[in-house]
Amino acid sequence: MKNYNLDNHKLIYHLDRLNAWNRGEDIYPLYISVSPSGACNLKCIFCAYSYLPKKNIFLKRDALSKILKEFKGLGIKAIFYSGEGEPFMNRELSQMIIDTANCNIDAAVNTNGILLTKNIAKDIIEELTFIRFSVNAGNADTYKKLHGVNKFDTVIDNIADAVKLKKEKKAKVTIGIQCLLLNENINSLLDLAKTLKNIRVDYLAIKPFLKHPQIHFNNSINILEKNDLIRRLESMSTDKFKVVIRRNAFERNKARTYKHCLSLPFMAEIDCTGDVYPCGPYLGHKEFVYGNIYKKSFKKIWNSKSCRSIRDFISTKLDVSKCMPNCRNDAVNRFLWQLKHEPEHVNFI
């Protein structure tokens, strides 16, 4: 059974970059998250970006193409197309993914799946490292309640088509589904797992809802307290289909074990307007903008005084207790904090 390591970090597989950082050297990120679209075709009640105004602004392929060539030379290894809107609302996304792969940079996308038609999937299925569909319901009624539209069958059909294309083209892409655990959908999780197993996706991951400080929706349910449900879900796993209960994410959805965010040299976020940010939860906070890719090269942005100043502030002064809990950077931060704060007698391994 494949190990997707969805519940931890993978920084230990980049020891050259990690050791350079630990020596205090300047490094470039390993990974960039890109928001191709500021618009979305859903109205999810739990949206982490609901505090941002939805806008018909789309990142331009030409601007991204220039920095992709930079990225290749700077040693940036992966681009994750996700962000504040639905990525496939940007009609140039397919070509952006192809451009990324042509630069020998791993490309992945997170999507609600509504716009990922068979024709679009044909163009990109062989260029992607993974596709992650956000599906948070096991039936049409629950889907409409959570996502605001009646598109459950469309999404399931599009996922099934992507799986068929993967098989036909013998593509290496991983096709996974991510589902938030919510009070509104917990009774439909088994149905979702059964449907996805029949379709033959690679995995279904169940993760906690993470509350952004600026949104009002809240949900405190913990699947670790649902032993019978966990057992029944995990019993559906086979060599070809895996149900992943993200236990560490549920357990980490508490106070942080570190005082400051140290992970920012390893990653960055680009929004639909071309602004470069340290991370997703701070999109829209202009005081944290490193620069803009329409105005400067990524190299100039990354090495600018303003960018260094923001990273220094976050790594030494920002109160992380006020940040979004268990964010994407959390597991990396826990590891880096431990690395920088050695215990006594480290040679006694």
Side-chain angles (χ1 to χ4, degrees):
M1 187 178 290
K2 291 184 178 179
N3 175 22
Y4 299 111
N5 198 22
L6 299 175
D7 215 15
N8 212 325
H9 70 89
K10 300 168 187 172
L11 195 53
I12 58 173
Y13 301 102
H14 301 279
L15 292 178
D16 54 343
R17 201 79 56 97
L18 180 63
N19 286 330
W21 171 83
N22 202 29
R23 291 191 298 265
E25 298 175 15
D26 290 333
I27 63 169
Y28 288 100
L30 287 163
Y31 155 88
I32 305 286
S33 181
V34 174
S35 296
S37 168
C40 190
N41 51 353
L42 293 182
K43 297 178 181 179
C44 304
I45 65 174
F46 51 80
C47 179
Y49 293 110
S50 61
Y51 70 96
L52 291 173
K54 293 305 175 193
K55 45 193 180 295
N56 290 321
I57 297 176
F58 305 100
L59 194 66
K60 295 179 181 178
R61 177 196 170 195
D62 289 347
L64 186 65
S65 295
K66 290 179 182 179
I67 64 167
L68 283 174
K69 294 173 183 177
E70 269 195 278
F71 286 169
K72 182 178 180 180
L74 298 176
I76 293 167
K77 297 181 179 296
I79 306 294
F80 186 34
Y81 292 100
S82 56
E84 68 227 80
E86 162 53 38
F88 284 101
M89 295 278 291
N90 188 326
R91 296 182 180 181
E92 293 188 301
L93 178 59
S94 294
Q95 193 57 55
M96 291 176 179
I97 290 169
I98 294 169
D99 291 343
T100 305
N102 286 341
C103 287
N104 294 317
I105 297 171
D106 290 349
V109 63
N110 189 84
T111 176
N112 61 41
I114 294 173
L115 298 176
L116 186 58
T117 62
K118 187 182 293 186
N119 286 336
I120 292 175
K122 282 180 181 178
D123 293 335
I124 62 174
I125 199 77
E126 294 175 285
E127 313 297 339
L128 288 166
T129 300
F130 68 81
I131 307 172
R132 184 178 298 162
F133 292 88
S134 178
V135 184
N136 298 280
N139 56 60
D141 288 342
T142 305
Y143 188 92
K144 185 176 181 180
K145 181 178 180 180
L146 289 171
H147 293 287
V149 298
N150 188 16
K151 291 289 184 179
F152 179 76
D153 292 339
T154 299
V155 172
I156 296 301
D157 288 345
N158 287 346
I159 295 171
D161 286 339
V163 173
K164 290 175 185 177
L165 280 170
K166 172 184 175 177
K167 184 176 180 180
E168 290 172 8
K169 294 179 174 289
K170 298 180 180 180
K172 295 180 180 179
V173 61
T174 297
I175 300 177
I177 279 69
Q178 180 171 276
C179 178
L180 297 177
L181 178 69
L182 304 169
N183 284 303
E184 292 83 354
N185 70 4
I186 190 168
N187 293 326
S188 73
L189 295 185
L190 288 170
D191 289 337
L192 178 61
K194 290 174 185 176
T195 298
L196 297 175
K197 185 175 183 177
N198 289 337
I199 290 174
R200 298 185 179 181
V201 302
D202 293 302
Y203 69 82
L204 163 64
I206 310 294
K207 64 172 287 187
F209 165 77
L210 305 177
K211 187 181 185 308
H212 191 284
Q214 290 181 257
I215 68 172
H216 298 295
F217 182 81
N218 205 352
N219 197 292
S220 60
I221 193 168
N222 190 337
I223 202 171
L224 301 182
E225 299 170 359
K226 308 290 182 180
N227 292 330
D228 182 60
L229 178 59
I230 291 176
R231 179 186 60 77
R232 294 176 69 185
L233 284 166
E234 291 185 328
S235 70
M236 299 177 70
S237 292
T238 66
D239 288 342
K240 295 184 178 180
F241 171 70
K242 187 171 184 179
V243 176
V244 181
I245 307 297
R246 293 187 54 185
R247 286 177 170 80
N248 289 341
F250 282 100
E251 291 174 355
R252 286 199 307 258
N253 200 9
K254 301 173 184 176
R256 286 172 161 83
T257 58
Y258 49 91
K259 292 182 180 180
H260 301 293
C261 180
L262 303 180
S263 62
L264 300 182
F266 297 94
M267 57 190 78
E269 187 107 8
I270 300 174
D271 78 355
C272 63
T273 70
D275 281 341
V276 184
Y277 287 87
C279 62
Y282 282 98
L283 290 184
H285 293 256
K286 296 301 182 181
E287 67 272 25
F288 290 109
V289 174
Y290 291 161
N292 188 285
I293 63 169
Y294 289 111
K295 299 176 181 178
K296 291 183 180 179
S297 69
F298 185 84
K299 186 174 183 179
K300 286 184 177 179
I301 292 170
W302 192 255
N303 293 316
S304 67
K305 289 183 179 179
S306 59
C307 182
R308 291 176 186 271
S309 177
I310 293 169
R311 292 203 304 269
D312 287 345
F313 169 76
I314 292 175
S315 65
T316 59
K317 296 179 181 178
L318 183 72
D319 183 0
V320 295
S321 68
K322 297 179 180 179
C323 289
M324 185 176 176
N326 196 8
C327 63
R328 187 177 291 169
N329 302 25
D330 184 60
V332 174
N333 274 320
R334 290 171 188 264
F335 171 70
L336 294 176
W337 189 262
Q338 185 178 12
L339 188 63
K340 283 295 188 183
H341 297 81
E342 290 184 359
E344 298 296 324
H345 320 306
V346 293
N347 292 333
F348 291 85
I349 60 173

